[in-house]
Amino acid sequence: MVPHQENEQHDGETSAASAEVDAPTGETVALFAGDDDLPETVHLHRSIQIEEEDSDERISAKLRSQGVRIGRGMIAPAVFWPALIIILGVTIFSMIFPDSAADGFQGVQSWIVEHLGWYYMLIIGAFIGIAAFIGFSRLGRIKLGRDDDEPEFGVLSWFSMLFAAGMGIGLVFYGVGEPLTYATVSPKPGWDGSEAELAGLAMAQTFVHWGLHPWAIYAIIGLAVAYAIHRRGRPVSIRWALEPLFGERVKGWVGDIIDVLAIVGTVFGVATSLGLGVQQISAGLSEIGIVDRPSNTLLVVLILVISLIAMISVVSGIGAGMKWLSNINLSMAGILLISVLLLGPTLFLFQTLTESIGYYLANFMGMTFDVGAFQAGEANSWFADWTIFYWGWWISWSPFVGIFIARISRGRTIREFIAGVMLVPTIVGFIWFSVMGGSGLFRQLFGEGDLVEDGAVNVESALFQILGDLPWGTVFSVIGILLVAIFFVTSSDSGSLVVDMLASGGHPNPPTWSRVLWSLIEGAVAIALLLAGGLQSLQAAALATALPFSIILLLMSWATLRALRIDDKVLARAQLQERLELVTQHVTDEWASTIADRQEVEQYVDDRIDYRLSRSRGARPKRPPRS
């Protein structure tokens, strides 16, 4: 096998800094070797791996030494410009021709749901199976880092950050309205039963949308990226997750296409969340009497104002901006959850959680693969609004969440990673929907019954109707508005950072100017999609951008399994060699320590030495006598 030639000669710009990072190619190995030709190690040489203390110049030099093409302004031109052109093209078209854009988005959505709905359902089920197989198999023992690396964060801190990744605008937006909609005005086609049975199925379906299924997607991409950056030592970029399949080609146009698709998907996924967020903020402002009724003008103003706040957070940096806002947001989410639990129908909410888990487990497989085949075409509209939309949203959002959870998971074993990523946010989501959704069901079924009006549930305002009915309801409603607003800011901020890293070739400290640019673009895309049809266009855009990236996720699954299989064999060989050395040393020590106690051995050794010495005398030529 010929190892990678990582230390390429670059065009005239090779500086002293880049010369310093030239590494011996002996440690730079390919992970796509055959089974009979295993590499000595899977790690790249330390001298070309990016360290925390490296300066921007040295980081750029190390990126170039790994084949990344960095241009002026510290961006990767082959990724930055194509992604920017595609996104701006769609945005400008949607703003100038909103009706045509709306028809186009909805046409794409209808075609995907009608012809490829089965595909989305199948691959989500496959991702759960792949993630579970990796976690339970011997591959789960491999560490995301070098074998002696310790976890970068403690268990509680790591769980808290996974919880932060699992919380978002979507949970707040759909927390009350989604299960209530399924149980009352829009049950899933094919459901039948009493009001109580429909409520249980509604909670189970909500758990499917927000539980293991989306987090299996995030686990797949997060594991692939974490393996590439922590175990291999590659830059933070999606392309390197496919290195086991494409090899050196990920440094060229193949890798550029992968990163461009990741950027486009992330921007539209974040824009979908931002669009949902401002719709809920405007509904909250209407509920507490600040505005008469939501309008497009109000939505655009909200996006502009909150995007400006996100820009300030971007400029202030992660430590002072995003981290500070995230801590505030988690605290407010916890206060809101506990307040609704304690001040609402507490016993009913605990009962709802318990019973809903039972419905979820009983219907898990059926709901995972249900595509409405036996309801003919009547199920298409429901799946387009809910399940298929969610799968597209999660896939388009996955590069952002995947890179985030990969960055915080250095030093964890793969088994720990899979268990933490799939279980912790899932449990948090179950509790959140049981409390918020359960409160909505209780009010509708056993209380005022005013959440369904004119045969519809106002998803945007349902949360504020629940909060307004509590003691100090106005205070809680204000907290809910602030919660969504800060989620808006942190989503835009962290999403901009991830997109900027991808557009900068994996540079961990991308330039502030481009991060500000991507933050503005995300706001502009959200405005364009809202003007071009509102929620339906948001759903259609997420679904359409997810389609090409879903193929990359499938390839990523294959690449990760292939890389881990080879890594496992390399690790097994190293462990076997270590055991042999220990056994050899132990036997040698034991033998040496007992020779003095065995007279027959000592006499035998002495006789052999005497024999060899006597034989040696005759072997030397005799010197002539001196004259």
Side-chain angles (χ1 to χ4, degrees):
M1 180 190 72
V2 179
H4 279 289
Q5 298 299 317
E6 302 289 349
N7 308 302
E8 300 175 351
Q9 294 297 323
H10 303 289
D11 42 12
E13 297 182 358
T14 306
S15 61
S18 64
E20 289 177 5
V21 298
D22 285 347
T25 58
E27 268 195 64
T28 308
V29 295
L31 262 189
F32 42 87
D35 291 347
D36 299 327
D37 193 15
L38 295 177
E40 289 299 318
T41 174
V42 299
H43 309 294
L44 298 180
H45 196 278
R46 286 189 182 275
S47 64
I48 64 173
Q49 295 186 33
I50 297 172
E51 305 290 346
E52 291 286 340
E53 63 274 6
D54 287 340
S55 64
D56 286 345
E57 292 77 13
R58 185 163 177 79
I59 289 173
S60 296
K62 288 183 174 182
L63 289 174
R64 290 190 178 98
S65 74
Q66 294 199 42
V68 178
R69 292 166 291 174
I70 303 294
R72 291 183 179 180
M74 215 161 65
I75 62 170
V79 175
F80 180 90
W81 293 113
L84 185 64
I85 291 170
I86 292 171
I87 293 168
L88 287 181
V90 174
T91 303
I92 293 171
F93 179 81
S94 299
M95 288 182 171
I96 297 176
F97 307 104
D99 294 337
S100 298
D103 292 340
F105 284 133
Q106 291 167 20
V108 170
Q109 183 185 32
S110 299
W111 186 88
I112 290 176
V113 172
E114 183 178 352
H115 295 90
L116 295 177
W118 63 270
Y119 164 75
Y120 277 87
M121 301 297 286
L122 198 60
I123 62 171
I124 299 301
F127 291 148
I128 295 176
I130 292 169
F133 167 76
I134 294 174
F136 283 111
S137 71
R138 58 182 287 126
L139 304 178
R141 64 186 178 140
I142 297 172
K143 185 171 287 190
L144 297 173
R146 292 184 178 263
D147 295 334
D148 56 350
D149 282 352
E150 293 297 324
E152 191 173 358
F153 301 99
V155 174
L156 291 180
S157 298
W158 187 57
F159 281 174
S160 298
M161 285 185 280
L162 291 176
F163 171 79
M167 290 293 292
I169 292 174
L171 277 180
V172 183
F173 185 86
Y174 288 108
V176 175
E178 182 173 342
L180 181 61
T181 300
Y182 301 157
T184 55
V185 299
S186 183
K188 188 176 182 180
W191 284 0
D192 191 19
S194 66
E195 192 175 66
E197 289 174 328
L198 289 180
L201 290 171
M203 290 300 299
Q205 186 68 53
T206 304
F207 285 1
V208 167
H209 290 160
W210 295 86
L212 289 176
H213 293 69
W215 283 98
I217 303 172
Y218 301 151
I220 292 294
I221 188 170
L223 174 60
V225 174
Y227 184 87
I229 65 177
H230 296 318
R231 184 78 173 168
R232 286 279 285 154
R234 289 300 191 184
V236 184
S237 190
I238 300 295
R239 68 175 66 200
W240 298 111
L242 291 167
E243 184 185 13
L245 285 184
F246 295 113
E248 292 285 321
R249 284 173 290 179
V250 297
K251 298 179 181 179
W253 65 269
V254 172
D256 295 336
I257 291 175
I258 292 168
D259 283 343
V260 167
L261 288 175
I263 290 175
V264 173
T266 299
V267 168
F268 279 96
V270 171
T272 301
S273 294
L274 302 187
L276 296 178
V278 294
Q279 286 182 328
Q280 190 161 46
I281 291 173
S282 64
L285 294 175
S286 177
E287 281 292 321
I288 62 178
I290 294 179
V291 298
D292 291 335
R293 63 186 183 87
S295 64
N296 282 342
T297 303
L298 175 62
L299 297 178
V300 170
V301 170
L302 286 172
I303 290 176
L304 292 174
V305 170
I306 300 178
S307 294
L308 179 62
I309 298 173
M311 279 175 39
I312 296 172
S313 175
V314 164
V315 173
S316 64
I318 293 179
M322 189 164 57
K323 185 176 180 181
W324 183 67
L325 289 173
S326 297
N327 290 335
I328 294 176
N329 224 26
L330 287 177
S331 300
M332 289 197 303
I335 291 171
L336 207 61
L337 182 69
I338 294 172
S339 299
V340 174
L341 177 62
L342 297 181
L343 298 176
T346 306
L347 178 60
F348 175 80
L349 298 181
F350 279 118
Q351 291 172 334
T352 298
L353 173 62
T354 304
E355 192 164 328
S356 299
I357 291 175
Y359 271 96
Y360 173 74
L361 295 176
N363 294 277
F364 178 85
M365 295 301 291
M367 289 182 172
T368 297
F369 297 104
D370 183 6
V371 295
F374 301 110
Q375 284 76 44
E378 66 176 290
N380 286 348
S381 177
W382 191 94
F383 279 96
D385 290 339
W386 296 107
T387 305
I388 303 299
F389 156 63
Y390 276 133
W391 294 169
W393 191 14
W394 302 146
I395 291 172
S396 65
W397 185 258
S398 63
F400 162 47
V401 179
I403 288 176
F404 172 77
I405 61 178
R407 288 285 300 274
I408 65 173
S409 299
R410 178 189 289 274
R412 298 279 169 197
T413 65
I414 289 176
R415 188 169 290 113
E416 290 174 322
F417 178 88
I418 296 290
V421 168
M422 292 187 68
L423 295 181
V424 173
T426 294
I427 293 170
V428 170
F430 285 5
I431 295 172
W432 179 271
F433 278 102
S434 295
V435 172
M436 297 300 179
S439 297
L441 289 171
F442 183 86
R443 180 179 178 126
Q444 182 63 32
L445 300 180
F446 308 110
E448 291 84 345
D450 58 350
L451 295 180
V452 177
E453 296 181 357
D454 300 325
V457 175
N458 190 333
V459 178
E460 295 93 333
S461 62
L463 171 66
F464 298 104
Q465 290 178 265
I466 294 295
L467 296 178
D469 206 35
L470 299 176
W472 311 296
T474 302
V475 175
F476 288 122
S477 295
V478 171
I479 292 176
I481 293 172
L482 291 175
L483 182 66
V484 177
I486 298 178
F487 268 133
F488 190 131
V489 174
T490 53
S491 295
S492 178
D493 192 346
S494 50
S496 300
L497 174 61
V498 168
V499 168
D500 205 11
M501 284 192 293
L502 293 175
S504 300
H507 200 298
N509 304 310
T512 302
W513 69 266
S514 58
R515 206 184 307 179
V516 171
L517 174 65
W518 289 114
S519 182
L520 289 173
I521 289 174
E522 288 163 0
V525 172
I527 292 173
L529 293 177
L530 283 172
L531 295 179
L535 181 60
Q536 282 192 326
S537 289
L538 292 170
Q539 293 174 333
L543 193 58
T545 54
L547 183 57
F549 198 76
S550 67
I551 299 172
I552 293 178
L553 280 174
L554 289 172
L555 293 174
M556 203 175 287
S557 302
W558 181 17
T560 303
L561 284 169
R562 189 173 186 180
L564 293 179
R565 187 166 171 267
I566 294 173
D567 195 327
D568 178 63
K569 292 186 176 184
V570 173
L571 186 62
R573 182 183 59 192
Q575 291 176 340
L576 179 60
Q577 185 175 352
E578 184 180 356
R579 291 193 193 101
L580 287 173
E581 290 175 354
L582 288 174
V583 170
T584 302
Q585 185 63 41
H586 176 73
V587 171
T588 302
D589 292 343
E590 286 292 319
W591 179 262
S593 65
T594 57
I595 285 179
D597 300 331
R598 301 186 182 187
Q599 295 296 326
E600 65 279 7
V601 174
E602 185 175 4
Q603 183 62 43
Y604 175 79
V605 172
D606 289 344
D607 290 345
R608 298 299 296 171
I609 292 174
D610 290 342
Y611 172 77
R612 288 298 178 188
L613 289 175
S614 63
R615 296 287 295 175
S616 297
R617 292 192 194 103
R620 292 184 179 182
K622 295 182 179 181
R623 293 182 180 179
R626 294 181 180 179
S627 56

